[in-house]
Structure formats: C-alpha cells, structure tokens
DNA sequence: TTATCGTTGAGACAAATGTCCTTTACTGAT
DNA sequence: ATCAGTAAAGGACATTTGTCTCAACGATAA
C-alpha cells in the first residue's frame, strides 16, 4: 500500500551528501505532463503518484514512502511525466539532478543495480496490486489495504483512497459503513 | 494493447546468435509461482502475462508482442514469478540463460541501458493502462484497445480480452453487441 | 463574526456489472 | 460417428456501483 525501498534510501544517505528538502501536504513535486529534470528519493513522509483524466478525475497509481524514487522513469526514457506527484503528508526528499543521476547510473555499478531492482520492484508490486484491484470486490480490497497499512484512514484522505481503489467516494463510504456495522473495521 | 520493443529485438538479433524456439498457442513459458532461470525475448507472435487467483480467475497483465522481454524482473529481483506467461498465438522466442543475462547486464553497457529502458517502458504503459481501465467504463476501454490493435477480436480469445479489462465475459459480450448495434464496431 | 471551502457521511434512485443458465458451433479424441 | 470440451452469445434477474443531492463539521480567510 505504501511502497518503500530501504536499501536505496540507505545507499543514498551514505553516498549523497546533499541536504533533504521539505514539502508540505498538497505541494507538487512533479506536474503531470511536465518535463522532469530531477530524481526525488523520499527520506520521510508519504507522496502520491496520480493521473488526472479529461474529466478531472484522479487515479492514484501509488503511495510512496521512505526510500521510494520518482522521476527516474521519465529521465531514463526521456519523456514527460505520465503522473503528477504531490505530498500527502509532510515530506522530506533527497534530490538528484538529471546529470548526476545519469552519471551515477553509468559509473556506479551498485547504484545501477539498485535502480534495476527498484524498477523491477515497481513492476512487481504494480502487477500484484492491479490484479487484486480488478479481481476482488471493494470490500476485500479495503480490508487488504487496511491490513497492509493499518493507519491508513487516519493518514490518507478518503478521496485519495477511493481514487487509489478506482471507485467513487460514495462507494468507499458505503463499504466502510457496512464494515463498521459488522465490526470488521475501526 | 500489444506491447513491443523493436530496439531490444534488433539488438538481440544482432548480438545473440542463438536459434529461436517455438511455442504453440496455450503452451506455458513461465508458470506462476515458479522459479525463473531464463529470460525470453519474443521474436514473433503474441504471449499473455497473467495472474490466476484463489478462485481460478485470471487477470491478464499484458499482451506481449515483438521484442518484449519476460523473466527479467524475476531474475533481477531474485523471486519467483508473479505471473504466468503463455502463448496466445504461435510464438517464436529467443532464450537467454540467467547466467548470460546477468553477465550481459553487468558487462554490456548498451544492453544494460536497453533493459533499464525496457523496465521503465513497462512501468510507463502499465500506469497508463491501469489508469484508463479504472477511470473509464467498459465501452470506452473496448473502443480504446480496439483502436490500438484493430485485429484484436480475430486474434485474441474473448475471455482473454475480458480478463485483460478486468470484467466478465458476459459484460464484454453485452458491450460488444451494443457497439455492433450502433455500428461502432466490426 | 460571518462566509466559504474542503472533508466526511449518507439517502434515493439510475445505471452498470455480475451470476446463473441455456444454446449453438466447432474441434479433437475415442 | 459420437462424445467431451472449449468458445461465443445472450436472456433473466440480483447485486454492486455511480450520480445527484443534501447535511454536518472544522479550518481558514475576509
């Protein structure tokens, strides 16, 4: 539910002596459709990666926590950002410029392998999550993400959760109140 | 809809002098939950990558065409396969052993970068596809994939298409007949 | 203070989707 | 030739989900 990458965070902390930068909730790190020239690695806090469609509806791809990296896809494949990325809670991030990122990727074998692993992990958890999302009903999906991150309803706004599950706020509320009635939640 | 990677295929054709192997429709390349020790790169044909859940229902992650690679995620992150992979049409694939793949990844900078790009591309199109899947209705999704791959209904079984869209066969048929009535399809 | 806006919650109804079942056609195996 | 299995198609009904609406609450700005 909240993705993390401790191995990458440790490596970045040790080998990148740059100061982290802070973002407040709702602040934007990367704008959808914008050119990306910085890689961000989350030191603490939660960010969301989301896609806004023609009707103004959001779909949340992932919630990113400690050690997760954003911006690398766009730089590697040299295209504008598919998703927007913004802070959900207060956020502390390490920034790496495009030049430095490409340089490390080329010259630092350990970093190169950490990125290969980070990308593979993203594909892996994306595959699992979307399979679950599509083959189970709202109730099961809610129970699953609540199990993965018990503090979810105190940390992440309901609308973001609904957009993560690909349902409306109404459906989320309906299912939540059913689960509450059956004492399966809260 | 059918993912391809011409750049990778070209490189593999030029630099790997191994003979491709053939699979018939329904044959399995990789079993879900199995250890993977071979990377496959599709020379021709279509494969599906899918996840079977506890109830026996499949969710199709992707349809892979020319140049797409499978097995690399599992080898890079050293875990068993999340998805099963099997042939949809007759398939011709190049195989690379785990050892060789790791060797190329480590020693061949061009290959390394092609894999970085392949992984990034997978994340990119997965993000787009799932956002579309979840924010649009069945009708729009059907029209979209039909536009991306006009021969779809003559090539891929209906149940696979339904499992790709995360809907039942009944829903697919219903929407198809509505679209036919309105002359928006076939 | 008052006004406004974002968030949460839920009622009533409409629309979309799933479940279950039946039919038809085609293919391959016996 | 017959049978079983798979794929495609759709009827009838139940269930789930979305749409539209209103209401309460708290935070923040005027």
């Amino acid at each position: 539910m909240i993705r993390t990458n401790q191995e990458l965070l440790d490596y970045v902390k040790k080998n990148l002596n740059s100061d982290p930068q802070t973002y407040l909730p709702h602040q934007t790190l990367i704008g959808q459709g914008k050119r990306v020239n910085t890689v961000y690695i989350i030191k603490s806090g939660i960010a969301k990666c989301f896609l806004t469609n023609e009707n103004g509806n959001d779909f949340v791809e992932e919630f990113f926590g400690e050690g997760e990296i954003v911006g690398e896809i766009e730089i590697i494949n040299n295209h504008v950002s598919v998703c927007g990325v913004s802070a959900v809670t207060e956020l502390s991030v390490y920034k790496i410029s495009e030049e430095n990122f490409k340089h490390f990727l080329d010259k630092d074998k350990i970093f190169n392998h950490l990125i290969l692993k980070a990308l593979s992990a993203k594909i892996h958890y994306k595959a699992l999550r979307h399979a679950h999302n599509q083959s189970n009903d709202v109730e099961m999906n809610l129970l699953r993400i609540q199990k993965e991150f018990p503090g979810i309803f105190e940390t992440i706004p309901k609308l973001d959760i609904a957009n993560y599950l690909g349902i409306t706020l109404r459906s989320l509320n309906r299912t939540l109140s059913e689960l509450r009635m059956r004492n399966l939640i809260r």
Side-chain angles (χ1 to χ4, degrees), chain A:
Chain A
M1 168 82 201
I2 315 279
R3 313 301 175 178
T4 58
N5 190 337
Q6 199 57 49
E7 199 182 9
L8 182 61
L9 182 58
D10 290 344
Y11 193 80
V12 166
K13 275 185 179 169
K14 265 171 213 144
N15 297 279
L16 239 88
N17 43 354
S18 70
D19 290 327
Q21 191 172 328
T22 300
Y23 288 83
L24 295 175
H26 297 113
Q27 283 191 317
T28 299
L29 284 76
I30 296 177
Q32 183 176 333
K34 292 268 164 51
R35 180 142 185 13
V36 180
N37 49 31
T38 311
V39 166
Y40 303 78
I41 289 157
I42 297 176
K43 189 191 173 200
S44 65
I46 298 172
K48 66 172 172 176
C49 171
F50 65 104
L51 240 134
T52 307
N53 71 11
E54 324 78 52
N55 309 316
N57 297 121
D58 286 353
F59 176 69
V60 174
E61 289 283 341
E62 300 292 347
F63 294 105
F64 289 136
E66 294 185 12
E68 267 293 356
I69 178 171
V70 295
E72 87 287 15
I73 318 270
E74 288 77 6
I75 288 179
I76 288 171
N77 261 342
N78 191 41
H79 46 55
V80 296
S81 180
V82 220
C83 304
V85 179
S86 68
V88 174
T89 66
E90 190 175 314
L91 212 58
S92 176
V93 297
Y94 293 107
K95 289 184 171 189
I96 310 177
S97 72
E98 177 168 354
E99 295 70 38
N100 281 337
F101 177 73
K102 284 178 173 170
H103 179 263
F104 289 136
L105 205 56
D106 194 45
K107 304 297 181 198
D108 181 341
K109 284 215 165 171
I110 297 176
F111 187 75
N112 181 287
H113 199 247
L114 284 173
I115 297 303
L116 281 170
K117 280 170 81 173
L119 294 172
S120 297
K122 282 191 179 185
I123 295 168
H124 184 244
Y125 65 52
K126 256 186 181 346
L128 277 175
R129 135 146 155 84
H130 288 118
H132 286 140
N133 244 239
Q134 301 258 13
S135 9
N136 300 311
D137 56 20
V138 175
E139 186 172 309
M140 285 196 66
N141 284 326
L142 257 180
L143 290 173
R144 177 171 50 82
I145 65 173
Q146 207 238 191
K147 198 172 177 185
E148 286 177 25
F149 177 41
I152 178 170
F153 299 117
E154 288 78 52
T155 315
I156 298 179
K158 295 277 195 295
L159 185 55
D160 284 336
I161 299 174
N163 288 338
Y164 177 77
L165 294 175
I167 58 176
T168 58
L169 188 54
R170 184 70 192 89
S171 291
L172 176 66
N173 278 326
R174 185 155 34 210
T175 309
L176 279 176
S177 71
E178 278 164 17
L179 288 174
R180 268 186 235 117
M181 268 197 304
R182 289 194 274 140
N183 286 313
L184 291 173
I185 218 170
R186 187 168 302 178

